[in-house]
């Protein structure tokens, strides 16, 4: 029999949800199969109140979501290679079932080209999954598992070979679209991504705009995402579509002002290395139901 895949977990925290963090860690500890090593990264705050078996990293400042998660990855060796799979879990989430890690191991073992799994996020009170938490255009049925083109940042599992091959999350994004940046690079390297409705993270229903910099970062990072990853002819098409969609949603004057500022910053500030995806990857994204123009 083959050796079970080694699984670790990365959790980032700002120290403002200690009870939720402890409950999440407890849900990880209850997972069936081999124990999961957990690393908690404190974003500008010391990590306290966690069990002795949990490793902690205290950062002197908040590096943002991708920066903090990258630190967590490296805590498992270069590119996370001390383990085979890393779970990334929001600190106010909770694994709903005790067999999630085993399902993850089975999925990655059965499909050698599966690189990333996106979990279903459900509200703990209602069981509802928000449409934005289903990472595909046809999101009406959150109970349908499928191949997808991106994943949810705080409820996922990544094969660490993906990081070794395509690198980690883009630190400079700080928040918003960092998952899609990694997803596109992984797909361009011929890895696949699955959305699995049976792997559930309980998480309170929230609005993404709760982050103060949401509208600015969404616009700036959308431009960076295109500049970094898309073939040149698709960059204006992709950004033009998103400009029209944003206006059609009729944001408030303050939100639109922040969005325009972010859109401008996306063009005038460094976005990191440009590695345009192959046209065959564009076709793959299209066949999976989300061409990289929307």
């Amino acid at each position: 029999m083959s050796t079970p895949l080694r699984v670790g977990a990365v959790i980032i925290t700002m120290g403002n949800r200690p009870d939720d963090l402890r409950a999440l860690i407890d849900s990880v500890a209850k997972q069936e199969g081999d124990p999961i090593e957990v690393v908690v990264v404190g974003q500008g705050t010391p990590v306290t109140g966690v069990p002795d078996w949990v490793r902690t990293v205290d950062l002197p400042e908040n590096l943002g979501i991708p920066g903090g998660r990258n630190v967590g990855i490296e805590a498992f060796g270069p590119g996370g290679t001390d383990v085979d799979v890393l779970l990334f879990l929001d600190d106010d989430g909770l694994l709903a079932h005790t067999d999630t890690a085993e399902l993850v191991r089975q999925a990655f073992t059965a499909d050698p080209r599966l690189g990333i799994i996106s979990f279903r996020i459900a509200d703990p009170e209602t069981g509802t999954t928000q449409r934005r938490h289903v990472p595909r255009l046809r999101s009406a049925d959150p109970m349908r598992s499928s191949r997808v083109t991106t994943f949810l940042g705080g409820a996922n599992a990544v094969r660490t070979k993906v990081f070794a091959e395509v690198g980690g999350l883009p630190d400079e994004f700080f928040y918003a679209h960092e998952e899609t940046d990694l997803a596109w690079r992984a797909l361009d390297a011929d890895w696949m991504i699955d959305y699995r409705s049976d792997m559930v993270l309980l998480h309170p229903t929230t609005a993404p705009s709760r982050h103060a910099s949401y509208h600015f970062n969404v616009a700036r990072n959308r431009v960076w995402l295109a500049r970094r990853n898309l073939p040149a002819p698709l960059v204006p098409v992709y950004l033009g579509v998103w400009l029209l969609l944003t206006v059609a949603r009729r944001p408030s004057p303050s939100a639109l002002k922040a969005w325009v500022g972010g859109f401008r910053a996306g063009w005038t500030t460094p976005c990191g290395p440009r590695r345009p995806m192959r046209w065959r990857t564009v076709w793959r994204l299209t066949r999976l139901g989300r061409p990289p123009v929307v």
Side-chain angles (χ1 to χ4, degrees):
M1 294 181 64
S2 60
T3 303
L5 297 180
R6 300 163 298 168
V7 179
V10 173
I11 304 167
I12 58 174
T13 184
M14 296 185 68
N16 54 350
R17 295 188 279 245
D19 293 339
D20 291 337
L21 173 61
R22 182 59 186 257
L24 171 62
I25 292 171
D26 289 345
S27 75
V28 174
K30 293 175 182 176
Q31 292 299 299
E32 300 163 11
D34 292 342
I36 298 172
E37 185 178 352
V38 176
V39 169
V40 178
V41 179
Q43 295 269 46
T45 184
V47 179
T48 60
V50 299
D52 293 340
W53 57 271
V54 172
R55 286 197 290 148
T56 63
V57 180
D58 296 338
L59 299 178
E61 61 180 318
N62 182 358
L63 298 183
I65 292 174
R69 287 183 177 143
N70 282 337
V71 169
I73 293 168
E74 294 303 310
F76 287 92
T81 49
D82 288 349
V83 293
D84 302 300
V85 176
L86 281 174
L87 310 180
F88 294 89
L89 307 170
D90 276 351
D91 68 342
D92 56 345
L94 187 75
L95 290 174
H97 310 297
T98 60
D99 64 347
T100 300
E102 280 295 280
L103 291 174
V104 166
R105 292 186 182 100
Q106 292 169 16
F108 282 125
T109 300
D111 186 351
R113 292 312 303 171
L114 179 60
I116 303 172
I117 299 173
S118 189
F119 299 171
R120 181 167 64 90
I121 294 179
D123 183 89
E125 299 294 330
T126 65
T128 302
T129 296
Q130 294 178 272
R131 288 182 65 92
R132 69 183 183 89
H133 285 155
V134 182
R136 58 176 179 246
L137 290 178
R138 297 177 179 177
S139 58
D141 182 9
M143 301 307 294
R144 179 173 68 87
S145 299
S146 68
R147 294 283 200 204
V148 289
T149 62
T150 189
F151 64 100
L152 306 174
N156 66 80
V158 181
R159 194 190 296 267
T160 53
K161 287 182 179 178
V162 173
F163 299 127
E165 188 167 346
V166 307
L169 296 155
D171 287 344
E172 53 268 72
F173 280 41
F174 198 83
Y175 164 76
H177 302 318
E178 67 272 7
E179 302 92 352
T180 300
D181 186 89
L182 176 60
W184 283 1
R185 285 182 282 127
L187 288 164
D188 197 48
D190 294 325
W191 293 101
M192 300 304 294
I193 306 170
D194 278 356
Y195 166 74
R196 288 283 297 265
S197 64
D198 57 338
M199 303 178 188
V200 182
L201 184 83
L202 299 177
H203 188 283
T205 298
T206 56
S209 55
R210 70 189 185 281
H211 298 283
S213 59
Y214 171 76
H215 298 287
F216 180 92
N217 280 23
V218 161
R220 182 197 63 186
N221 294 2
R222 182 80 69 184
V223 178
W224 282 355
L225 180 69
R227 289 175 58 197
R228 286 164 59 97
N229 295 288
L230 290 182
L234 292 185
V235 172
V237 179
Y238 177 79
L239 295 176
V241 167
W242 278 103
L243 175 62
L244 292 174
L245 286 173
T246 299
V247 172
R249 290 168 178 169
R250 298 182 179 181
S252 68
S254 61
L256 183 59
K257 181 179 179 180
W259 193 95
V260 170
F263 193 81
R264 184 183 300 113
W267 289 106
T268 59
T269 55
C271 64
R274 172 168 166 77
R275 299 188 181 94
M277 66 178 65
R278 298 168 295 173
W279 285 103
R280 62 181 287 185
T281 305
V282 173
W283 176 236
R284 174 182 291 173
L285 288 162
T286 302
R287 286 190 293 112
L288 288 170
R290 188 150 200 163
V293 295
V294 63

